Amino acid sequence: MGLAQSPDPLPSWKDTPSREAILAFVDQVTDKTSADYVAPAERIATFDNDGTLWSEKPLYFQLMFAIDRVKMLAPQHPDWETQEPYASLLKGDTKTFATGGMRAIGELLKTTHTGMTATEFEALVSDWLASARHPTTGRAYTEMVYQPMLELLDYLRSNGFKTFIVSGGGLDFMRPWVEKVYGIPPEQVVGSSRRTVYEVREGKPVLVRLPEIAFVDDKAGKPVGIHTHIGRRPLMAVGNSDGDLEMMQYTAAGEGPRLMVYVHHTDEAREWAYDRDSAVGRFDKGLDEARARGWTVIDMKRDWKVIYPDPKP
Amino acid sequence: MGLAQSPDPLPSWKDTPSREAILAFVDQVTDKTSADYVAPAERIATFDNDGTLWSEKPLYFQLMFAIDRVKMLAPQHPDWETQEPYASLLKGDTKTFATGGMRAIGELLKTTHTGMTATEFEALVSDWLASARHPTTGRAYTEMVYQPMLELLDYLRSNGFKTFIVSGGGLDFMRPWVEKVYGIPPEQVVGSSRRTVYEVREGKPVLVRLPEIAFVDDKAGKPVGIHTHIGRRPLMAVGNSDGDLEMMQYTAAGEGPRLMVYVHHTDEAREWAYDRDSAVGRFDKGLDEARARGWTVIDMKRDWKVIYPDPKP
């Protein structure tokens, strides 16, 4: 790298209109001589997580965690051998599990994600991530983050942006690892959550995770989560599915320039290709609206030189 | 100010044990050679608002706002002349209003704080703060913040701390002004909130404030609010009432050094003097526990040279 010239801030991005739109937007809002200059405090960038910062196939990775936990807990629950949705999961039959829809997922998450303290849950997530491997890539899940997005996060931060995650995934599932992996601190994570209560157990204050859902940070919940947690409208929002559409609309409705970026999964060879017909990460209404309104749509196959970071040595 | 010597970071604090405890703690956790060194990312300081950063008498200022709003809305509600809690408030009889307890306060807040969009509510708060004056000091409410606390916030931030508000007050009541007044950005405010929903009205996305309470950030709610919003245990917590006690306990239960600071209202001449018997800002169990555990208790009369900032010219 020459001393006189800054290095390319987005080396894993091909020279396409997506990259150009991002660079032009950042220049526009950070140029003090521009009429569209935005003060650093207002440079809020919100990123969806599943399918936007890391992969989400064959299932959201949080569900992969939940399924592995069912297997761990099974010896204590002999009734699960015949009881759905556990019976299917224990047989490795995610297809039958999937026919149970949201009810089966809700049951699975309740069983595996509640009843313990916040500290205990954090340890479960960290331990799982340290050892679990993705069924087809063989990678650690945290090595299935998108290298171009890591670069984008760094690039935005180096231009005074504050980067947030705004995900339908569980707040406490993301918190243990996002700082290390994305450079996003826990206080900049917005997500779905369970009702949590404060208790003193044997003289020690603990936070206990209850089964009731406190907040669903998806679809129309995302602008609400952003408002409640951040209190400012994003200057830029990045997502990949219909679950992100309201966040995009809310962002676009702000005054002055705003950048809405959708990731389109088009790369069957290096990642996955899916959009309108996918149960996980459906991208249908969002794709139509993005095209109609001229939002930036990243074509993973066309726009990205690499998908994942080089594996850790 | 000499160039060779740093200026006193807490000029409005008298040279007493409270000040000494704060300076010693900050030195301890920021000294890289200390065994108790804490990385900047973990330097989280949480501040209660009412009675900790600004005054709270004769009533929480948010209630003063609500009462003024009742007066504004009264012409559209002729039934309020005979209907409690409005009738008392319209006659200026806060004593009778107070006999209605939490039910009356709940009714008052519901009527004055919900049914509008988040943007509309923000404008109501900003407009009120610009013109309202406190009944006994004649000051703008935002000029009834504590000068020593403004200095403490600055001092902590200049030592790498991230300062948060964690208040029982309304999130959206605080957000419009805390950045300007305290230097705390909206994303670092944790508070009580109403259920808020996303709607598209005449093609424009809006967030609508509903009557249902979403979260009460008081007492045992404070550690939950901290966990949900910040996701890290505070290194330091500052409060003034029993409503802050669980936040203190949760903070104190962390590993390594932690600083718990209580503000004791002891200055009848310059502010107010109250503790165990006060309906607003009761400080009873908290005072006992602070003394028993050796937490720092600021005596406003003894420890602070001035209370409020010099009035704006």
Side-chain angles (χ1 to χ4, degrees):
Chain A
M1 166 193 332
L3 280 172
Q5 204 179 345
S6 4
D8 178 357
L10 299 174
S12 299
W13 292 66
K14 292 188 204 165
D15 191 10
T16 66
S18 295
R19 175 191 152 100
E20 192 43 51
I22 291 167
L23 295 174
F25 177 77
V26 171
D27 281 351
Q28 180 187 16
V29 298
T30 57
D31 175 359
K32 284 197 173 173
T33 67
S34 155
D36 295 324
Y37 174 77
V38 175
E42 298 287 342
R43 293 181 202 159
I44 303 290
T46 55
F47 285 77
D48 170 60
N49 185 40
D50 297 306
T52 298
L53 293 178
W54 72 352
S55 294
E56 58 184 356
K57 293 281 180 176
L59 291 170
Y60 297 122
F61 293 172
Q62 188 172 353
L63 289 182
M64 306 298 276
F65 161 73
I67 293 169
D68 280 352
R69 232 177 116 53
V70 162
K71 290 174 186 161
M72 293 252 295
L73 294 169
Q76 299 155 48
H77 299 269
D79 49 316
W80 284 358
E81 273 184 52
T82 56
Q83 189 188 326
E84 289 298 339
Y86 310 102
S88 301
L89 292 176
L90 291 173
K91 277 180 268 174
D93 177 6
T94 51
K95 217 163 186 174
T96 303
F97 167 76
T99 62
M102 285 312 296
R103 217 196 52 77
I105 291 175
E107 171 78 17
L108 171 65
L109 291 178
K110 200 160 74 175
T111 304
T112 55
H113 282 59
T114 70
M116 68 290 279
T117 69
T119 307
E120 288 162 355
F121 184 72
E122 183 179 326
L124 292 174
V125 173
S126 297
D127 289 350
W128 179 75
L129 284 173
S131 61
R133 292 296 176 270
H134 187 274
T136 59
T137 68
R139 282 176 172 252
Y141 288 98
T142 50
E143 290 170 358
M144 291 180 70
V145 299
Y146 304 131
Q147 176 63 27
M149 284 301 189
L150 299 181
E151 294 167 8
L152 177 56
L153 288 168
D154 275 341
Y155 170 62
L156 290 172
R157 288 189 292 252
S158 71
N159 279 280
F161 281 74
K162 207 161 178 176
T163 52
F164 287 81
I165 290 174
V166 177
S167 167
L171 193 51
D172 288 345
F173 179 76
M174 295 182 281
R175 285 243 178 89
W177 54 274
V178 294
E179 185 161 36
K180 197 172 145 206
V181 174
Y182 301 137
I184 294 178
E187 62 267 29
Q188 286 163 223
V189 182
V190 187
S192 298
S193 58
R194 301 275 162 176
R195 194 156 86 82
T196 302
V197 291
Y198 174 85
E199 281 180 21
V200 178
R201 289 183 176 175
E202 297 172 7
K204 281 192 75 168
V206 294
L207 295 167
V208 182
R209 298 170 54 83
L210 299 184
E212 298 96 307
I213 287 168
F215 183 66
V216 178
D217 192 52
D218 197 28
K219 299 194 170 74
K222 289 206 175 192
V224 174
I226 289 168
H227 176 72
T228 306
H229 195 107
I230 308 176
R232 307 192 209 249
R233 195 186 297 262
L235 189 61
M236 170 175 176
V238 187
N240 77 300
S241 79
D242 287 357
D244 301 308
L245 182 53
E246 286 84 353
M247 172 168 77
M248 299 293 181
Q249 293 168 340
Y250 179 63
T251 301
E255 284 173 25
R258 308 273 160 169
L259 187 69
M260 284 60 65
V261 180
Y262 256 127
V263 177
H264 193 182
H265 291 263
T266 53
D267 196 328
E268 201 159 10
R270 296 184 302 172
E271 206 239 6
W272 283 269
Y274 57 95
D275 46 39
R276 299 184 192 275
D277 299 321
S278 178
V280 171
R282 182 187 309 276
F283 186 34
D284 180 35
K285 279 195 253 177
L287 183 53
D288 290 338
E289 190 157 333
R291 284 178 177 160
R293 299 179 67 174
W295 296 343
T296 296
V297 179
I298 294 167
D299 179 323
M300 285 177 79
K301 187 173 183 174
R302 186 197 59 191
D303 292 341
W304 287 356
K305 289 185 198 165
V306 298
I307 305 291
Y308 302 127
D310 283 337
K312 300 222 173 80
Chain B
M1 165 195 333
L3 280 172
Q5 204 178 343
S6 358
D8 178 357
L10 299 174
S12 300
W13 292 66
K14 292 188 204 165
D15 191 10
T16 66
S18 295
R19 175 191 153 99
E20 191 42 54
I22 291 167
L23 295 174
F25 177 77
V26 172
D27 280 352
Q28 180 187 17
V29 297
T30 57
D31 175 359
K32 284 198 172 173
T33 68
S34 155
D36 295 323
Y37 175 77
V38 175
E42 298 287 342
R43 293 180 202 158
I44 302 291
T46 54
F47 285 77
D48 170 59
N49 185 40
D50 298 305
T52 298
L53 293 177
W54 73 353
S55 293
E56 58 184 355
K57 293 280 180 176
L59 291 170
Y60 297 122
F61 294 172
Q62 189 173 353
L63 289 183
M64 306 298 276
F65 161 73
I67 293 169
D68 281 351
R69 227 174 123 53
V70 162
K71 290 174 186 162
M72 292 252 297
L73 293 170
Q76 299 156 47
H77 299 271
D79 48 316
W80 284 358
E81 274 184 51
T82 55
Q83 190 188 324
E84 290 297 343
Y86 309 103
S88 302
L89 292 175
L90 291 174
K91 277 179 267 175
D93 177 7
T94 50
K95 218 165 186 172
T96 304
F97 167 75
T99 63
M102 285 311 296
R103 217 196 52 78
I105 292 175
E107 172 77 18
L108 171 65
L109 292 177
K110 201 161 73 175
T111 304
T112 55
H113 283 58
T114 70
M116 68 288 280
T117 68
T119 307
E120 287 161 354
F121 183 73
E122 183 179 326
L124 292 175
V125 173
S126 298
D127 289 350
W128 179 76
L129 284 173
S131 61
R133 293 295 176 269
H134 187 274
T136 58
T137 67
R139 282 175 172 253
Y141 288 98
T142 50
E143 290 170 0
M144 292 181 69
V145 299
Y146 304 132
Q147 175 63 27
M149 285 300 189
L150 299 182
E151 293 166 8
L152 178 56
L153 289 168
D154 274 342
Y155 170 62
L156 291 172
R157 288 188 292 253
S158 72
N159 279 281
F161 281 74
K162 207 162 178 175
T163 53
F164 286 81
I165 291 173
V166 177
S167 168
L171 193 52
D172 288 346
F173 178 76
M174 296 183 280
R175 287 244 178 87
W177 55 273
V178 294
E179 185 160 38
K180 200 174 144 203
V181 173
Y182 301 137
I184 295 177
E187 61 267 28
Q188 286 163 225
V189 181
V190 186
S192 298
S193 58
R194 300 273 161 177
R195 195 156 85 82
T196 303
V197 291
Y198 174 84
E199 282 179 19
V200 178
R201 289 184 175 174
E202 296 173 9
K204 280 192 76 167
V206 293
L207 295 167
V208 182
R209 297 170 55 83
L210 299 185
E212 297 96 306
I213 288 169
F215 183 65
V216 177
D217 190 53
D218 197 28
K219 298 192 170 74
K222 288 206 175 191
V224 175
I226 289 168
H227 176 73
T228 306
H229 194 107
I230 308 176
R232 307 193 208 248
R233 194 186 299 260
L235 189 60
M236 169 175 177
V238 187
N240 77 300
S241 78
D242 287 358
D244 301 308
L245 182 53
E246 286 84 353
M247 172 169 77
M248 298 294 182
Q249 292 168 341
Y250 180 63
T251 301
E255 284 174 26
R258 306 274 160 168
L259 187 69
M260 285 59 65
V261 179
Y262 255 126
V263 177
H264 192 184
H265 291 262
T266 52
D267 197 329
E268 201 159 9
R270 296 184 302 174
E271 207 239 6
W272 283 269
Y274 58 95
D275 46 37
R276 298 185 193 276
D277 299 321
S278 179
V280 171
R282 182 186 309 277
F283 185 35
D284 180 36
K285 278 195 253 177
L287 183 53
D288 290 338
E289 190 157 335
R291 284 178 177 161
R293 300 179 67 174
W295 296 344
T296 297
V297 179
I298 294 167
D299 179 325
M300 285 177 80
K301 189 172 181 174
R302 186 196 61 190
D303 292 342
W304 288 356
K305 290 184 196 165
V306 298
I307 305 292
Y308 301 127
D310 284 335
K312 299 227 171 76

